[in-house]
Amino acid sequence: MLNPAKSGILEKEVSTQSKYELPRLGELLEQFFGKDSIWNIVRIQDIPLPMANAYGPAVTFCSNILFHQSLSTASLVVIDSEWDRQLTTLIMNDESSRNSVRDHLHVMVQDREQELALRTLFTAALNGMVASAGKNVASCSMCLLQLCSLSSDISVGSIVPGVFKLQDSILSNDKTVREASSRLFGILGSHQDCPRSELEKMLRGFEGTCKSWQEAVGSVYLQIHGAMLATSYYLSRRAFRASLAVATEDEPRVQAAVDLCLKILSTSHDKTLLDAATVSIAQLTISGILSPKSLAQSHSAGTVVKSLADNAGKGNENAIKALGSFGMQCDEDFTEGTIFHQVFTGLFKLHELREATVQFSVGEAFSYTAAGWASKALIATLDVDGRAPSSPSRNASLSWILEKILGDCKTTKPALRQASVIWLLCLVQFCGHLPAIQERLRDCQTAFKGFLADRESLNQETASRGLSLVYEKGDRELKDDLVRDLVGSFTGSSVNMSGSISGETQLFEPGALPTGDGSITTYKDIMSLAAEVGNPSLVYKFMSLAANNAIWSSRAAFGRFGLSNILSDSSVDGYLAQNPKLYPALFRYRFDPNTNVRSSMNEIWAALVPEPTATIDKHFDTIMSDLLKNILGKEWRTRQACCAAVADLVQSRPAAKYEKYIGEIWTLTFKVGLWTWT
């Protein structure tokens, strides 16, 4: 989330795209998998593949060509060294990109030649899963999964008989292969053209495998894991296709799957089984099969929430998402003790876990509970030609959770503070299109700004990404306000320290201010030292030093974490286009003795000033006046930066340009030199 794929192409990159002439998909597939190729899809079925190590990359490349052609009209992908990663990220996370691919695949089915090419690619990927002796199963299964999840039932129908070849992959020792194959089994097995008798035989085999979970040892755990996932994906995809209601023969299977998952969750200590149980619960819950109302008398919703919360507390990200998914199916009731409130409390307590990846999972889970299927975190979950199932309505959940998180962004507790900014980023990312977030964008902006001067680089980076999202989703007035505030925060001489100050608030890094027997780090340390030496004024001096440290930390954060993109956009048609006062300060900061600040300001300058020579000439007098005004500033770093900036400004420019400033330059630089020596 913090480093998203590029979603557009810079103008200078558009002109370079023409030099990359990618092959046509039909010709490429004929070359790789046609009748005269070594990988003829008809001849090589169920036999070892020749040149097996190259087969997976060939299938992946063909899939990427298809996806690129689907997105090329929208100019969403840059052809560079990260081409394949960009495609994968867009296909998985961007709703408009997924819709573009769906539309393109629908058009392909209408044309006989293109429909044949698509069928060839489906078959080639399936062959790679079942006939490559394990060398290409992972890559081919991921390609086939992406293709099937975006295709209509008509396209997927061509490979439905291949579902019965997936059993070995589902029971594989490779976790990635098991997960992808199980999901494919759900997509293909729930298809209307899948032969029911053979499917029943396969499902009964999975049920038999799962029955031995209490006595399992070694690799049997892995087989149970695959069997549980395959069953839950099958049942959930049947629900997505709206066929579960009439499939009475599946009702015992649903109850058995729920019972098994809840028993494992409450009694097992095996990580593999717990992983299978939490993923299965998430799938059954998201699809509407499992909910607080559907639980049998032998299980209570409160017990399920507690079991999920206990496993989530161990850092199990699947349990965290399962808890959020269970919250989707809870009635909207914020009263303490209700199931909804228990889910919220269970997620909230996870702020004590310091792993950043875990907190992003918590933020995603909050979006499930708050917005249900309206959360964009679920856009890749509906992977069949069906519709999202109904769930309890959400009218105020998002506003209620958002209010709680915004309040916690002001706390002085480091763990809760870091978790809150990550959760806020997730809500803006996944629910920013909803009115509850749109109405509070300014509050979100204020909260994110409070983290720009934070000591933790992760908090700065998260806040920077959050501000970029707020900027993208806001109107022009909000965008200009954001730019104005950002400019003021690093051109001004003060910084707003968000939140209140407590005794344990850390103001300096350990070792930054050594005292001989330790170092000053917290506000409590400052108070103790002031009392010890009998000088209360030390408190104000150290607090001033801490604020100054925060200012420069904030300035250093701008270029490193992408805020230059906001300023760059504003320079074209926003606040900066009408208020160019930023240039003098930014020019000076480019010569700051602090490496991080200097590097950040150079990045902003490069993004903001496409023609530096013309810009400097246009604002020469303003820049020079600012430098001479600050060259005798009280901070040595300001004096040093001004001297270096003046030297750079007068170089390579005719004397007539700066002739009127020569006397003042000589006088002030001599004073700086004397101050340095004295």
Side-chain angles (χ1 to χ4, degrees):
M1 182 180 294
L2 295 184
N3 295 287
K6 300 173 186 175
S7 60
I9 303 179
L10 299 176
E11 290 186 5
K12 64 181 180 181
E13 292 175 314
V14 174
S15 60
T16 66
Q17 297 301 297
S18 58
K19 71 179 182 180
Y20 298 105
E21 186 173 350
L22 296 175
R24 294 180 178 274
L25 179 62
E27 297 173 355
L28 188 65
L29 290 169
E30 180 65 27
Q31 183 72 27
F32 284 155
F33 310 112
K35 61 181 181 180
D36 297 325
S37 70
I38 60 171
W39 294 326
N40 184 315
I41 59 172
V42 176
R43 188 175 67 244
I44 67 170
Q45 291 190 35
D46 301 321
I47 65 172
L49 291 171
M51 298 179 63
N53 289 335
Y55 190 89
V59 171
T60 301
F61 182 67
C62 290
S63 298
N64 286 341
I65 291 294
L66 171 60
F67 294 143
H68 181 86
Q69 290 177 354
S70 303
L71 302 175
S72 59
T73 54
S75 298
L76 289 172
V77 184
V78 179
I79 302 178
D80 58 13
S81 60
E82 296 188 342
W83 175 63
D84 55 342
R85 187 186 71 83
Q86 289 183 65
L87 285 168
T88 300
T89 303
L90 287 171
I91 296 301
M92 293 299 296
N93 302 318
D94 186 74
E95 188 173 18
S96 62
S97 298
R98 292 177 65 84
N99 290 335
S100 295
V101 175
R102 281 196 183 97
D103 292 342
H104 184 75
L105 292 174
H106 180 73
V107 171
M108 288 183 70
V109 176
Q110 312 304 316
D111 181 88
R112 181 179 178 81
E113 183 178 342
Q114 293 191 66
E115 194 272 338
L116 179 61
L118 187 58
R119 186 184 297 233
T120 300
L121 182 55
F122 272 102
T123 306
L126 182 61
N127 286 346
M129 292 184 63
V130 301
S132 59
K135 291 183 173 66
N136 303 285
V137 177
S139 58
C140 289
S141 62
M142 291 306 298
C143 288
L144 188 57
L145 182 57
Q146 288 180 338
L147 289 168
C148 289
S149 66
L150 295 168
S151 299
S152 65
D153 278 350
I154 297 176
S155 300
V156 174
S158 64
I159 59 165
V160 163
V163 69
F164 306 112
K165 300 178 181 180
L166 295 177
Q167 182 155 343
D168 289 343
S169 298
I170 291 171
L171 304 179
S172 166
N173 290 337
D174 188 308
K175 182 180 179 182
T176 303
V177 173
R178 287 198 306 274
E179 292 174 340
S181 301
S182 297
R183 190 167 176 178
L184 276 171
F185 175 80
I187 295 173
L188 301 180
S190 62
H191 194 280
Q192 60 184 3
D193 294 339
C194 185
R196 187 69 195 180
S197 59
E198 295 180 59
L199 181 66
E200 275 293 324
K201 182 179 179 180
M202 199 169 178
L203 287 168
R204 284 195 295 269
F206 291 148
E207 291 170 0
T209 301
C210 293
K211 287 180 180 179
S212 63
W213 70 272
Q214 291 175 306
E215 298 83 26
V217 293
S219 61
V220 178
Y221 279 126
L222 307 182
Q223 295 177 8
I224 296 173
H225 178 271
M228 288 181 65
L229 293 188
T231 302
S232 62
Y233 277 118
Y234 163 75
L235 293 172
S236 61
R237 272 52 191 176
R238 287 270 281 177
F240 287 160
R241 295 183 189 276
S243 58
L244 186 62
V246 296
T248 55
E249 67 271 22
D250 276 331
E251 291 179 3
R253 181 169 290 120
V254 168
Q255 190 58 53
V258 171
D259 289 342
L260 175 63
C261 290
L262 296 181
K263 285 180 182 178
I264 290 176
L265 193 65
S266 59
T267 62
S268 178
H269 299 287
D270 182 79
K271 186 176 180 180
T272 302
L273 292 182
L274 289 172
D275 180 79
T278 51
V279 172
S280 298
I281 288 174
Q283 293 303 316
L284 296 174
T285 304
I286 287 176
S287 60
I289 296 174
L290 176 61
S291 68
K293 294 180 180 179
S294 70
L295 287 170
Q297 293 182 352
S298 56
H299 307 289
S300 71
T303 302
V304 174
V305 172
K306 185 179 184 304
S307 297
L308 288 173
D310 289 344
N311 281 277
K314 300 173 185 177
N316 186 327
E317 294 183 37
N318 288 325
I320 293 170
K321 293 179 181 179
L323 183 58
S325 303
F326 195 76
M328 283 177 61
Q329 302 299 334
C330 298
D331 290 331
E332 193 176 62
D333 188 346
F334 312 132
T335 307
E336 187 172 354
T338 61
I339 300 301
F340 183 95
H341 195 275
Q342 290 179 39
V343 170
F344 171 81
T345 302
L347 292 173
F348 178 81
K349 288 181 178 179
L350 299 178
H351 74 267
E352 298 171 357
L353 302 175
R354 296 306 296 264
E355 296 87 352
T357 54
V358 170
Q359 297 307 329
F360 280 106
S361 295
V362 176
E364 185 175 330
F366 269 130
S367 77
Y368 298 167
T369 300
W373 277 100
S375 169
K376 289 188 178 294
L378 294 172
I379 60 174
T381 302
L382 189 61
D383 49 16
V384 296
D385 196 358
R387 64 179 187 272
S390 60
S391 58
S393 61
R394 288 291 181 261
N395 299 314
S397 298
L398 182 55
S399 297
W400 187 78
I401 292 176
L402 178 63
E403 185 66 34
K404 297 282 188 183
I405 293 175
L406 286 172
D408 289 328
C409 284
K410 302 174 183 178
T411 185
T412 58
K413 298 178 180 178
L416 180 55
R417 180 174 166 80
Q418 182 171 91
S420 296
V421 71
I422 293 175
W423 299 345
L424 182 60
L425 173 66
C426 292
L427 288 185
V428 175
Q429 173 83 12
F430 299 130
C431 307
H433 59 292
L434 300 176
I437 298 291
Q438 286 286 316
E439 294 167 359
R440 301 293 299 275
L441 280 178
R442 291 183 183 276
D443 295 327
C444 295
Q445 172 183 311
T446 301
F448 284 130
K449 278 166 47 186
F451 288 87
L452 290 180
D454 201 274
R455 294 182 309 99
E456 293 283 346
S457 61
L458 175 62
N459 294 356
Q460 292 181 2
E461 185 175 358
T462 304
S464 173
R465 176 60 185 151
L467 287 173
S468 296
L469 286 175
V470 170
Y471 186 82
E472 291 172 10
K473 299 177 185 300
D475 54 22
R476 172 48 62 189
E477 182 182 359
L478 181 63
K479 290 181 178 180
D480 285 347
D481 286 346
L482 173 57
V483 173
R484 186 184 301 110
D485 290 342
L486 292 180
V487 170
S489 68
F490 74 86
T491 58
S493 58
S494 63
V495 65
N496 293 324
M497 301 181 69
S498 75
S500 58
I501 299 294
S502 69
E504 301 303 320
T505 302
Q506 187 169 343
L507 301 175
F508 301 98
E509 294 289 344
L513 295 175
T515 60
D517 57 349
S519 65
I520 297 173
T521 57
T522 66
Y523 182 67
K524 182 179 179 180
D525 294 337
I526 294 175
M527 296 292 291
S528 298
L529 181 61
E532 183 179 338
V533 300
N535 185 359
S537 66
L538 280 180
V539 175
Y540 302 101
K541 292 180 180 179
F542 276 113
M543 290 300 292
S544 176
L545 184 60
N548 185 62
N549 183 55
I551 292 171
W552 290 102
S553 296
S554 176
R555 288 170 180 165
F558 273 77
R560 277 187 294 160
F561 302 133
L563 287 176
S564 56
N565 294 335
I566 295 178
L567 301 179
S568 176
D569 177 75
S570 180
S571 68
V572 177
D573 59 356
Y575 172 77
L576 294 180
Q578 289 79 36
N579 299 271
K581 297 178 182 179
L582 169 67
Y583 298 118
L586 185 56
F587 186 87
R588 169 161 43 95
Y589 292 145
R590 291 174 58 223
F591 300 92
D592 190 88
N594 182 284
T595 304
N596 288 334
V597 174
R598 186 168 64 249
S599 174
S600 295
M601 294 306 160
N602 275 318
E603 286 192 31
I604 296 177
W605 179 267
L608 195 59
V609 185
E611 298 179 356
T613 302
T615 300
I616 292 174
D617 287 341
K618 180 179 179 180
H619 300 282
F620 182 89
D621 291 331
T622 306
I623 294 174
M624 180 63 81
S625 297
D626 177 82
L627 294 175
L628 296 178
K629 175 183 176 182
N630 289 281
I631 201 169
L632 297 181
K634 63 180 181 179
E635 294 185 15
W636 67 269
R637 66 191 300 164
T638 301
R639 299 195 296 269
Q640 184 174 334
C642 287
C643 289
V646 169
D648 182 85
L649 192 60
V650 299
Q651 288 180 10
S652 304
R653 283 180 174 78
K657 190 77 174 176
Y658 56 85
E659 184 178 6
K660 60 182 178 180
Y661 298 105
I662 289 180
E664 192 174 1
I665 291 173
W666 274 95
T667 301
L668 294 176
T669 51
F670 270 124
K671 282 186 178 181
V672 174
L674 288 173
W675 285 3
T676 303
W677 285 105
T678 56

